[in-house]
Amino acid sequence: MNVDRPDPAMDKQTHFGFEHVAESEKARRVAGVFDSVATRYDLMNDLMSGGLHRLWKIFTIDRSGVREGARVLDVAGGTGDLSRAFARRVGKSGEVWLTDINNAMLTHGRDRLCDQGILLPVAQCDAEKLPFPDDYFDCVTVAFGLRNMTHKDRALAEMRRVLRPGGRLLILEFSRIWKPLAPAYDFYSFKIIPKLGRLVTQDEASYRYLAESIRMHPDQMTLKRMMEHAGLENVEYFNLTLGVVALHRGFKF
């Protein structure tokens, strides 16, 4: 008698904040988070960071090495902050793609750029399965998106694949704060941010997930090793605001 057995792959677990969920469930729940907050995403970033996210992104642009004529891929580009800045750098002879897996975020970002007179190619796609050829981009960036990806190793490998030799990957992401400040940062993250989310977006749960996802994301050295394992070289990181955020940069040779 044949007995159906569960597929082990279907039972694989990952984290959604502090909660363990099936891998297939995480993508759906992350999508729900960003569907909920898309229209207030920029406002919440300003409120939560006191505007510092703008300085972190300027630092990322400055470390990108992007010049006129370059090809840039903005993965999980959200509302388009990096894409807008890169478009100005690459000029008419360059190319900047804005991508995101979430339709609500991508639509909001595209419309926001169009309102500013910036027309860019956009693509809704999974960072783990990028629809671009090998060795195509001079620079790939992902800002505050990697921690939401189910298989970070696959995403890193894909981002390396589409880089041309000599190209670089930049990852701007929340990281581990200077240890003496951790208790105060925890209080702010778990007590203040969810309440702020409730007031501004009527969605406290999504911003509780945000705080939890930061704690589950690899720390600075672990992410550096993951990038190296994906085949990137000369990997380095820059702590910003005492480690609240870190910018990692690696090259493909």
Side-chain angles (χ1 to χ4, degrees):
M1 182 175 64
N2 292 327
V3 178
D4 290 334
R5 296 182 179 181
D7 182 352
M10 297 297 290
D11 296 329
K12 291 186 71 174
Q13 298 282 299
T14 188
H15 57 82
F16 177 80
F18 291 158
E19 185 180 355
H20 282 82
V21 299
E23 287 187 348
S24 58
E25 178 74 2
K26 178 173 180 174
R28 185 186 68 80
R29 293 180 68 171
V30 169
V33 168
F34 288 98
D35 285 345
S36 174
V37 305
T39 58
R40 297 292 183 95
Y41 184 79
D42 296 308
L43 174 60
M44 278 297 294
N45 280 349
D46 279 330
L47 293 173
M48 289 188 301
S49 72
L52 285 173
H53 77 100
R54 299 178 184 276
L55 299 180
W56 299 332
K57 290 168 183 173
I58 289 171
F59 183 83
T60 301
I61 298 293
D62 287 344
R63 291 297 182 277
S64 70
V66 167
R67 296 182 174 85
E68 187 169 352
R71 293 173 175 170
V72 179
L73 174 62
D74 187 8
V75 175
T79 55
D81 283 347
L82 290 183
S83 291
R84 179 178 64 249
F86 280 128
R88 291 168 178 160
R89 284 212 169 195
V90 305
K92 293 182 179 179
S93 60
E95 183 178 334
V96 178
W97 279 83
L98 170 62
T99 71
D100 204 293
I101 195 171
N102 184 271
N103 182 263
M105 291 291 290
L106 188 64
T107 300
H108 186 62
R110 179 203 62 195
D111 292 350
R112 183 170 174 246
L113 292 175
C114 287
D115 289 344
Q116 297 168 359
I118 300 171
L119 302 179
L120 300 177
V122 300
Q124 182 178 351
C125 60
D126 187 342
E128 298 177 19
K129 302 173 185 177
L130 293 172
F132 300 102
D134 296 354
D135 305 328
Y136 188 77
F137 292 100
D138 298 286
C139 181
V140 176
T141 61
V142 53
F144 305 114
L146 184 65
R147 74 181 185 283
N148 298 309
M149 298 175 190
T150 303
H151 305 101
K152 296 177 180 62
D153 54 343
R154 295 182 194 174
L156 291 171
E158 273 292 273
M159 288 185 273
R160 181 192 179 279
R161 177 185 66 80
V162 301
L163 278 172
R164 68 167 181 79
R168 53 261 175 222
L169 169 64
L170 291 99
I171 300 172
L172 181 66
E173 188 56 88
F174 292 106
S175 199
R176 294 297 185 275
I177 195 170
W178 184 47
K179 198 168 183 179
L181 292 181
Y185 184 53
D186 285 346
F187 177 83
Y188 176 70
S189 298
F190 292 107
K191 300 297 183 182
I192 305 301
I193 287 180
K195 291 180 180 178
L196 192 61
R198 183 180 65 206
L199 289 171
V200 176
T201 69
Q202 290 75 56
D203 186 351
E204 181 175 346
S206 290
Y207 284 92
R208 186 177 299 110
Y209 161 75
L210 167 69
E212 293 177 358
S213 69
I214 292 169
R215 272 64 181 183
M216 300 304 295
H217 185 68
D219 63 17
Q220 288 91 328
M221 282 302 301
T222 302
L223 181 55
K224 179 178 184 291
R225 288 192 291 268
M226 290 174 67
M227 292 174 68
E228 291 169 341
H229 185 72
L232 292 153
E233 300 180 54
N234 293 352
V235 179
E236 59 185 336
Y237 65 85
F238 308 87
N239 279 325
L240 306 176
T241 317
L242 299 173
V244 170
V245 164
L247 173 65
H248 284 69
R249 181 176 63 180
F251 294 81
K252 175 180 177 179
F253 294 121

